[in-house]
Amino acid sequence: MTEAKRVVVVGSLNYDILLGQTRLPSRGETLHCRQAATASGGKGANQAVQAAKLGATVYLVGAVGQDALGDALLASCRSYGVHTDFVRRSEGASGLGVVQCLPDGSVYATVAEGANGSVTPDRVREAETCLAQADAILLQFEIPMETNAFVMAYARQKGIPVLLNPSPAKAEGRPLLAAASCLILNEQEASFFCGEALCDAASVAKHRRALQALNARRMIVTLGAQGSVLVEPDGVCHIRPTGLARVVETTGAGDSYAGAYAVRRLMGDEPAAACRYACRAAEYTIGQAGAQNAMPTRQNMEGA
């Protein structure tokens, strides 16, 4: 059997509170919601879990607080096979997310950084032996930007491909976009960085040059129910969804896509094929509430 590829994710862990609401509250209004749930999340942890569920050997580099939420976050990652040897316990609280979920499946999220702010370059240096053995590294923007810059410089020196999900979009992260081997970002984030309104595959194709000015290698713009668009130096390819997804809520769909794409590329898929697989994984994820628990395993994908 071929040895599993090693993915190292440097990123966030957040404990999510999910509120099922009929609408968003108005200013000054106290709104009763129909249901509430909790789940382990954070873009880093989510992407790590999806990669692990699809068969990769995954190490997560990050931090949680000295609290019960940190215990829960570590236990969740481990239950899905993610190695947490390099997730450190920091003083104070763990990262926390509040996610408002509407009936159409759309979500509105607010995140408190918590321990994720302690993931400094010095912390990452403690995991250098792990980073050096990575077949690919995944990054997001829920940890300090200086840490992302440090990891990208290290990966470039070692010749390790970096998949960057620049989310949430931050202006100070713009200089890092060009150095990534591949960018994966949604239409709002792509619009933010390229300065053009992107809402569908046609608009992505129209503003291809503005997007390639951000990263000339490879970029994937995810479009929710419209699938995704692969942007490469020689053209664009619209990856359409199957249309079979039953939308419960969309938390974690982008992270599912990123984790699945990384795994399939490491397994030898061409970019368009990896995008199609990742699109199917994201469709599977939105069929349940939550993120990590909703993400498909390799067996789920084989049966899909």
Side-chain angles (χ1 to χ4, degrees):
M1 179 180 294
T2 303
E3 184 177 352
K5 296 295 185 177
R6 179 179 292 223
V7 174
V8 176
V9 182
V10 183
S12 58
L13 298 91
N14 295 324
Y15 193 80
D16 289 340
I17 300 172
L18 309 171
L19 303 176
Q21 302 176 199
T22 56
R23 60 177 176 83
L24 296 177
S26 302
R27 182 177 180 179
E29 177 185 15
T30 298
L31 180 68
H32 288 270
C33 68
R34 50 189 170 84
Q35 61 185 29
T38 59
S40 296
K43 290 183 178 298
N46 288 348
Q47 292 175 19
V49 166
Q50 180 61 99
K53 291 177 83 168
L54 293 175
T57 299
V58 182
Y59 285 80
L60 178 59
V61 180
V64 296
Q66 297 280 0
D67 54 14
L69 300 186
D71 295 337
L73 290 169
L74 289 172
S76 179
C77 285
R78 291 167 182 160
S79 73
Y80 294 116
V82 175
H83 296 274
T84 60
D85 314 53
F86 300 100
V87 178
R88 302 304 183 211
R89 305 301 293 257
S90 298
E91 294 298 325
S94 297
L96 181 69
V98 177
V99 184
Q100 296 168 296
C101 311
L102 302 189
D104 65 356
S106 59
V107 295
Y108 297 80
T110 302
V111 176
E113 181 182 65
N116 295 307
S118 71
V119 185
T120 62
D122 284 341
R123 279 287 181 90
V124 175
R125 286 189 185 95
E126 297 173 4
E128 184 176 356
T129 55
C130 178
L131 284 175
Q133 299 177 60
D135 292 301
I137 296 174
L138 272 65
L139 294 172
Q140 321 78 33
F141 280 179
E142 286 187 339
I143 59 173
M145 207 61 68
E146 64 173 344
T147 305
N148 282 315
F150 170 81
V151 174
M152 294 187 78
Y154 178 88
R156 184 167 58 251
Q157 177 186 4
K158 297 293 185 180
I160 303 169
V162 173
L163 190 157
L164 174 62
N165 173 218
S167 177
K170 299 177 181 178
E172 60 267 35
R174 183 182 298 273
L176 300 184
L177 304 184
S181 307
C182 177
L183 291 181
I184 296 184
L185 64 178
N186 66 26
E187 68 268 37
Q188 289 87 7
E189 293 150 359
S191 298
F192 174 86
F193 285 116
C194 80
E196 303 288 354
L198 306 176
C199 59
D200 53 24
S203 60
V204 172
K206 176 181 178 181
H207 298 296
R208 171 186 168 192
R209 292 189 183 279
L211 290 167
Q212 289 180 316
L214 301 173
N215 184 296
R217 294 180 178 86
R218 178 172 295 124
M219 180 183 305
I220 300 163
V221 181
T222 59
L223 299 168
Q226 299 179 66
S228 60
V229 178
L230 172 64
V231 181
E232 297 190 284
D234 58 352
V236 300
C237 177
H238 183 194
I239 311 298
R240 292 174 174 80
T242 66
L244 301 176
R246 180 179 66 90
V247 181
V248 173
E249 55 106 343
T250 58
T251 304
D255 298 326
S256 177
Y257 191 111
Y261 176 84
V263 170
R264 295 307 299 186
R265 285 289 287 143
L266 289 175
M267 293 179 68
D269 281 7
E270 292 298 320
C275 286
R276 284 190 287 272
Y277 187 94
C279 192
R280 286 171 47 219
E283 285 186 284
Y284 189 99
T285 299
I286 64 176
Q288 298 182 58
Q292 296 175 12
N293 61 293
M295 292 173 174
T297 64
R298 184 168 49 185
Q299 291 72 26
N300 294 143
M301 292 297 290
E302 289 171 355

